Amino acid sequence: MADGISINNAVRNLIDSEREGAFLLPNIQRRFIWSEDQICRLFDSILREYPIGNLLIWKTNREILYREFIKDYTDDTKIGRAFTKKRSDRDKYLILDGQQRLQSLLIGLRGSYNGKELFFNILSGEVSDPEEMKFEFAFMKRDKMSNRNDFEKIWVSPVEIINEKKHVKILDKISENATRAITDSEKQKIVDHVLHMKGLFINNEIPQKIVDDTKYDEDGEEGYDENDIVEVFIRANDGGTKLSRSDLLFSLLSSGWEGVQEEMEDLLEKLDNKGFPLGRDFVLKTCLTLLGQKSRFDVAKFRTPKVREEMETGWKNITVAIEDTLDYVKDKTYIRSGKALSSSYVLIPLIYCRYKTDSRKGLEEIKEIEEYLLRSLLVGAFSGQPDQIIDECVEQMEPDASGHIFDVRNFFRIVREKARNLELTKDQIQKEGHGSKNIHLLFNFLYKDFDYEPVYEGNLPQVDHIFPDSKLKILKTNDSDSNKPTMMYRKPERNRLGNCMLLTRDENGPRGKRDKLPTEWFGDKTADYLHMHMIPDDKDLWEIENYEAFCEKREELIVERLSKSNEILKGIS
């Protein structure tokens, strides 16, 4: 295979899995995670002639699990069920680095994303800011695409441009379907863009590097095996957007346990439905901890048949412990969803307790479980590298005289020995705000009567600004040095805790609050509503010129409620 491959030929290698040199995906690979916007930006980068990276390809004829690329992608695509083929009667070209880009190209040129196709605004191309889209792309339903055409935009399918040999036909088709006359300058732009796109997609090549294990070394020994490929994969993806190491090591687990892909996806789907999208990293780290292997990810652990066998035979008990613990936390504490967990690893000691006691009794006997959750999350006890904290905590979890296995005070002692402060202060709480990692944790605690389980998942509670961000942005003040108007409130000031409230989807929707100021939004609200949201009674504070005073007063009310509502926070200083 050549040192490079054109985008058009690469896409052909994705469409036809029987084609010689067809690209496939090994089970090392994680699922496709790019959004519509990322795909559009990839196509914009191609037209701007930016480098889009290299492809790393593993050529092999080994009997291993692999799958084809997905032409029509949806958010609920079951990747695990796709790893069903092991055919070894011919060489396979497996993508080690480049999955997201290739999958995006396939979706954009031959497929769809949640039922929508990619279209190109062929009149775009004027913006020069590197941060903005110069060439505009968008995903739309084909039957509604014509409604998006207006005086400034004409949408065309990229694949129609690439496949049409005569650019004049494209121009004629656009002119026929346009709702207005196309000017001569626009016709020239259309022709230029057609030729530009065809040239880039048909002639320009993506560099590719092939790791070939069908060859032998000087001693006649075979080349890379699957374990070696994992190492190659890890090192190839060591820079830039990092892949989860568990995604890479998972292939070693599945090489000895064929059904693990489906088992893992079923578990993650169950957790997601409970409101806790915890991910594969969390599950694998939990498995290692429960099996006494320590929590750190290590290739050697996943290469050990004994570990794989224990994980497979113990899978049912492990998953029951995980699910049962989440149900208990959701039912018996103020944690209502995964958004409130700035670190999911805070759950592992609780799951270990449930797993070792083989019943909910182990969880029910944990004294001060709410204090454990709140303090650990607010002070970041499991942030950074949590493995040592997890391991030391688990090592100390032995039944005491009364049969209790998890002593929260003992855990706090371990955390303090790591020079981590567990004290909660008023200043610390007030540092939270819109977009901060613990804002949902605080609001789960403050809004105990809020509906966290609406019928439709899209109606989950949302954190919103009380004084709209758009209104605060335009406020100006004179700079004392330059005497020129400057922004009165920077982003941290606009996002402060006192300016955040919890709203339902309906309240935050088109017919809801939107950019209404407090004077308008709170004007017809009941006393109970204002009390629930901790809104100051003084209506003068609702005026935008009193924004800072409003935030200060509301933050006092928030700390006051936290202090009164639970023993944990009575000592806030």
Side-chain angles (χ1 to χ4, degrees):
M1 192 178 290
D3 291 336
I5 184 170
S6 71
I7 295 174
N8 211 32
N9 284 336
V11 173
R12 288 177 184 170
N13 282 346
L14 303 175
I15 296 173
D16 184 5
S17 63
E18 301 301 318
R19 175 186 173 97
E20 178 62 30
F23 292 154
L24 302 163
L25 286 166
N27 63 333
I28 297 173
Q29 285 282 13
R30 60 179 174 179
R31 65 182 294 116
F32 178 65
I33 60 172
W34 275 20
S35 63
E36 291 182 14
D37 181 65
Q38 286 173 294
I39 298 174
C40 292
R41 288 186 176 276
L42 173 66
F43 277 77
D44 175 59
S45 294
I46 292 171
L47 291 194
R48 294 173 86 155
E49 300 185 61
Y50 291 168
I52 61 170
N54 302 340
L55 302 179
L56 180 61
I57 302 166
W58 175 22
K59 181 182 177 183
T60 183
N61 55 20
R62 295 177 186 276
E63 188 173 294
I64 61 169
L65 288 169
Y66 68 90
R67 68 173 174 86
E68 299 172 3
F69 281 79
I70 301 168
K71 180 171 173 283
D72 296 301
Y73 183 82
T74 62
D75 289 334
D76 59 357
T77 298
K78 303 293 185 183
I79 299 297
R81 292 168 173 79
F83 289 104
T84 57
K85 300 183 179 181
K86 288 188 174 182
R87 192 176 63 189
S88 59
D89 59 349
R90 65 175 174 82
D91 292 341
K92 294 178 285 293
Y93 294 85
L94 305 175
I95 300 300
L96 298 181
D97 187 20
Q99 178 206 175
Q100 305 296 324
R101 286 163 285 154
L102 289 175
Q103 181 67 74
S104 297
L105 290 170
L106 177 59
I107 290 170
L109 293 176
R110 292 291 192 277
S112 61
Y113 195 109
N114 288 330
K116 295 181 288 185
E117 297 177 48
L118 185 68
F119 290 92
F120 170 45
N121 173 19
I122 203 163
L123 294 183
S124 62
E126 300 302 321
V127 179
S128 59
D129 188 338
E131 294 298 319
E132 296 181 17
M133 295 272 283
K134 180 177 181 180
F135 296 95
E136 185 178 6
F137 289 84
F139 279 92
M140 295 176 275
K141 297 276 189 181
R142 181 171 283 273
D143 58 352
K144 297 180 180 179
M145 180 269 297
S146 59
N147 297 332
R148 295 285 297 273
N149 288 334
D150 54 33
F151 285 102
E152 296 181 356
K153 299 181 181 182
I154 296 178
W155 298 97
V156 184
S157 170
V159 71
E160 293 175 6
I161 294 176
I162 296 168
N163 287 344
E164 179 55 64
K165 294 182 179 179
K166 295 182 179 180
H167 62 268
V168 176
K169 288 188 176 181
I170 298 173
L171 183 58
D172 290 343
K173 185 177 180 179
I174 290 174
S175 299
E176 290 173 7
N177 296 330
T179 56
R180 61 173 176 82
I182 308 298
T183 67
D184 289 341
S185 62
E186 288 174 334
K187 289 179 181 179
Q188 185 60 53
K189 175 180 279 192
I190 291 170
V191 171
D192 290 343
H193 283 175
V194 167
L195 294 175
H196 183 59
M197 179 176 283
K198 287 172 69 70
L200 290 172
F201 279 78
I202 294 175
N203 299 321
N204 280 23
E205 293 188 335
I206 308 173
Q208 56 184 3
K209 169 67 176 177
I210 300 175
V211 178
D212 189 349
D213 76 358
T214 63
K215 297 180 179 180
Y216 294 82
D217 62 23
E218 295 177 354
D219 299 322
E221 297 293 330
E222 285 188 283
Y224 299 99
D225 63 17
E226 194 169 359
N227 291 340
D228 295 321
I229 290 300
V230 172
E231 296 293 349
V232 171
F233 195 16
I234 290 171
R235 298 180 189 195
N237 289 281
D238 196 37
T241 303
K242 290 189 179 290
L243 298 173
S244 164
R245 193 174 182 86
S246 72
D247 288 327
L248 313 178
L249 300 178
F250 189 58
S251 66
L252 294 177
L253 180 63
S254 59
S255 66
W257 176 8
E258 189 168 325
V260 69
Q261 291 277 358
E262 189 169 342
E263 294 280 6
M264 180 65 77
E265 284 203 359
D266 286 344
L267 174 61
L268 294 180
E269 184 175 357
K270 288 179 182 178
L271 301 183
D272 194 36
N273 290 337
K274 293 176 186 290
F276 293 88
L278 299 177
R280 195 160 65 185
D281 282 45
F282 170 81
V283 173
L284 289 182
K285 194 173 286 289
T286 300
C287 287
L288 291 174
T289 303
L290 300 191
L291 295 175
Q293 294 294 324
K294 295 187 181 290
S295 58
R296 182 175 177 271
F297 288 138
D298 191 330
V299 173
K301 295 176 185 178
F302 289 86
R303 281 179 173 165
T304 305
K306 181 175 180 292
V307 174
R308 294 200 297 262
E309 291 167 9
E310 288 182 351
M311 200 174 294
E312 182 176 1
T313 57
W315 182 254
K316 182 177 180 181
N317 290 336
I318 291 171
T319 56
V320 167
I322 293 173
E323 292 184 60
D324 213 9
T325 301
L326 286 176
D327 288 339
Y328 181 82
V329 167
K330 193 171 184 178
D331 292 343
K332 302 299 183 181
T333 77
Y334 49 81
I335 302 292
R336 314 298 178 81
S337 75
K339 287 184 177 181
L341 296 173
S342 52
S343 174
S344 59
Y345 296 136
V346 72
L347 297 172
I348 293 182
L350 303 181
I351 296 169
Y352 183 87
C353 179
R354 166 62 183 81
Y355 180 77
K356 287 298 183 181
T357 55
D358 199 27
S359 73
R360 271 202 180 192
K361 185 178 179 182
L363 295 170
E364 292 166 354
E365 292 181 344
I366 299 177
K367 298 178 181 179
E368 301 161 326
I369 189 171
E370 288 194 347
E371 180 173 4
Y372 161 73
L373 289 167
L374 187 66
R375 287 192 188 275
S376 298
L377 291 168
L378 281 179
V379 304
F382 290 87
S383 61
Q385 299 295 326
D387 294 338
Q388 191 173 5
I389 292 287
I390 294 172
D391 294 342
E392 289 195 25
C393 177
V394 166
E395 287 171 3
Q396 297 293 320
M397 289 172 66
E398 296 294 337
D400 59 19
S402 59
H404 296 162
I405 189 172
F406 186 15
D407 185 343
V408 172
R409 297 296 153 183
N410 199 31
F411 170 78
F412 288 159
R413 175 187 59 77
I414 293 171
V415 174
R416 287 190 176 98
E417 287 175 355
K418 305 299 178 190
R420 297 194 182 188
N421 186 13
L422 282 163
E423 304 311 312
L424 297 176
T425 67
K426 181 179 178 180
D427 288 343
Q428 185 181 35
I429 290 171
Q430 289 177 335
K431 285 179 181 177
E432 302 298 335
H434 195 280
S436 69
K437 63 179 182 179
N438 284 316
I439 187 67
H440 283 279
L441 171 67
L442 285 176
F443 279 3
N444 273 209
F445 193 78
L446 290 164
Y447 288 86
K448 291 187 176 181
D449 298 325
F450 215 88
D451 182 10
Y452 281 84
E453 293 187 328
V455 176
Y456 299 105
E457 186 177 349
N459 291 337
L460 289 169
Q462 301 175 357
V463 176
D464 192 41
H465 293 96
I466 295 176
F467 285 83
D469 191 61
S470 59
K471 301 288 188 182
L472 294 173
K473 276 182 179 179
I474 60 176
L475 296 181
K476 303 291 183 181
T477 184
N478 283 330
D479 186 282
S480 57
D481 295 327
S482 63
N483 202 30
K484 292 181 179 179
T486 60
M487 185 178 290
M488 183 175 291
Y489 299 115
R490 299 291 178 181
K491 189 173 182 178
E493 296 166 310
R494 303 195 303 271
N495 287 344
R496 61 186 292 180
L497 178 63
N499 194 35
C500 296
M501 68 185 298
L502 204 61
L503 296 176
T504 65
R505 176 66 180 268
D506 288 340
E507 286 180 313
N508 202 27
R511 291 174 293 181
K513 182 178 180 298
R514 304 294 287 178
D515 62 351
K516 294 177 182 176
L517 286 163
T519 48
E520 180 180 1
W521 178 246
F522 295 138
D524 60 353
K525 298 297 185 289
T526 65
D528 287 343
Y529 183 91
L530 298 177
H531 175 74
M532 178 178 70
H533 290 284
M534 298 154 286
I535 304 303
D537 294 330
D538 185 353
K539 295 184 179 180
D540 287 341
L541 295 180
W542 300 359
E543 301 288 345
I544 196 167
E545 59 265 26
N546 296 322
Y547 171 71
E548 292 180 60
F550 172 91
C551 289
E552 289 173 5
K553 180 60 179 177
R554 188 163 180 273
E555 285 163 6
E556 288 179 9
L557 295 175
I558 288 173
V559 172
E560 181 181 343
R561 179 175 293 183
L562 287 171
S563 300
K564 287 182 177 180
S565 61
N566 198 289
E567 290 291 330
I568 303 171
L569 295 164
K570 282 190 175 178
I572 294 178
S573 57

